[in-house]
Amino acid sequence: MARDGYSDLLAFIHVAREGSFTRAAAQLGVSPSALSHAVRALESRMDVRLLTRTTRSVSTTEAGVYLFEQVAPRFEEIDAELVAVAQQRKKPAGTVRISTAEHAANTILWPKLSKILPEYPDITVEVTVDYNRSDIVAERYDAGVRLGDELAKDMIAVRISPDMRIAVVGSPAYFADRAKPKIPNDLAEHNCINLRLPTHGGLLPWDFQKGKRELKVHVTGQWIYNSVSPIVRAALEGQGLAFVPDDAVTEHIAEGRLIRVLDDWCQPYTGYHLYYPSRRQSSGALAVIVEALRHQD
């Protein structure tokens, strides 16, 4: 394709992404008719129809879908590199979008980033709590946070927390008329607060290990939540036993508001990692965030 056709290709990418000539034209600062002319010129040179137009909608043809999926990421790479070059001559700036679980957002991202962001007033961090393990490239996130054993192989990963442990806890009021469980199977006699995650499609089993023995226990109880904070709250109110990350309840345990049980069955597991596609690593704003979150042994 001749180099002067790149602008027509960029026009097609915007229309395909927005599904509208009007919205795409507003983004590019041109008229919808000029955008339509550019796309038709591209279709003419390629001798293939890329868009299906009706009076109410615009959609991509099979050829259009293929072209968009193959070419759009490469234009994004070019945009990222242009931003990176510009940022080399000025203070880091821009928005960094991060997909994460609630626990990591509260215990890792907030305490670390809240300390350094005042030094970088031109950086904006957008944190989305998401348990669906979204494809961060497809969803246009700059980075994501997952446990170390859940990372995709084609991503750059940076450890941002030490290894962690799970805690099984209940309030003094809860144990006032109940015996504390001594082994995981004793949980069958307890009111346990469950966690439902979209990625599991059901209730999260409680995993335990002692030496070489591993147990996966499916507990029951009156409360089911899809995030950690309300589970901790329910445990504090004596509503049942909680199975949560250790650092989510450390202060409550130290101050006697929660009592830890089955401690010898709760073994360490791999901590959180920040991960991102390699093409994003040259972003000045992302580089600042990565270094701020990097775990120091």
Side-chain angles (χ1 to χ4, degrees), residues 4-39:
D4 58 4
Y6 290 167
S7 59
D8 295 344
L9 186 56
L10 183 61
F12 161 73
I13 290 172
H14 278 267
V15 174
R17 179 179 290 128
E18 295 299 322
S20 165
F21 279 97
T22 301
R23 290 195 297 269
Q27 287 186 351
L28 294 173
V30 300
S31 68
S33 60
L35 209 56
S36 178
H37 177 77
V39 173

Side-chain angles (χ1 to χ4, degrees), residues 89-260:
R89 302 190 63 180
K90 62 182 181 180
K91 293 184 66 175
T95 298
V96 178
R97 300 182 66 235
I98 304 174
S99 171
T100 182
E102 178 199 36
H103 175 251
N106 291 336
T107 62
I108 307 296
L109 272 59
W110 168 253
K112 290 187 176 183
L113 296 183
S114 63
K115 293 178 180 178
I116 64 100
L117 279 186
E119 302 175 20
Y120 298 92
D122 295 325
I123 294 179
T124 298
V125 177
E126 180 180 343
V127 177
T128 299
V129 173
D130 178 15
Y131 289 103
N132 286 303
R133 296 186 184 177
S134 298
D135 182 335
I136 62 170
V137 175
E139 297 295 328
R140 305 187 73 181
Y141 288 105
D142 297 290
V145 175
R146 288 185 187 171
L147 296 175
D149 57 0
E150 299 175 348
L151 296 170
K153 295 180 180 179
D154 58 347
M155 294 286 174
I156 293 176
V158 177
R159 177 183 279 269
I160 62 174
S161 83
D163 285 349
M164 301 185 295
R165 294 181 71 207
I166 281 290
V168 181
V169 294
S171 71
Y174 176 82
F175 287 120
D177 56 357
R178 297 177 179 84
K180 298 175 184 176
K182 296 181 178 179
I183 60 173
N185 289 335
D186 291 342
L187 293 171
E189 305 300 322
H190 285 267
N191 194 358
C192 298
I193 307 165
N194 267 299
L195 174 67
R196 186 186 299 278
L197 297 181
T199 50
H200 290 76
L203 302 180
L204 184 71
W206 293 17
D207 292 320
F208 298 97
Q209 181 178 349
K210 188 174 184 179
K212 295 184 178 180
R213 189 180 180 191
E214 298 182 5
L215 290 177
K216 188 181 295 289
V217 181
H218 294 272
V219 300
T220 59
Q222 294 179 286
W223 290 99
I224 301 172
Y225 291 100
N226 68 349
S227 61
V228 172
S229 296
I231 291 178
V232 174
R233 180 184 61 203
L236 287 167
E237 293 295 328
Q239 296 292 309
L241 297 183
F243 182 84
V244 293
D246 184 291
D247 56 3
V249 291
T250 300
E251 292 185 7
H252 297 307
I253 294 173
E255 296 176 8
R257 293 190 292 269
L258 291 174
I259 298 170
R260 184 167 191 157

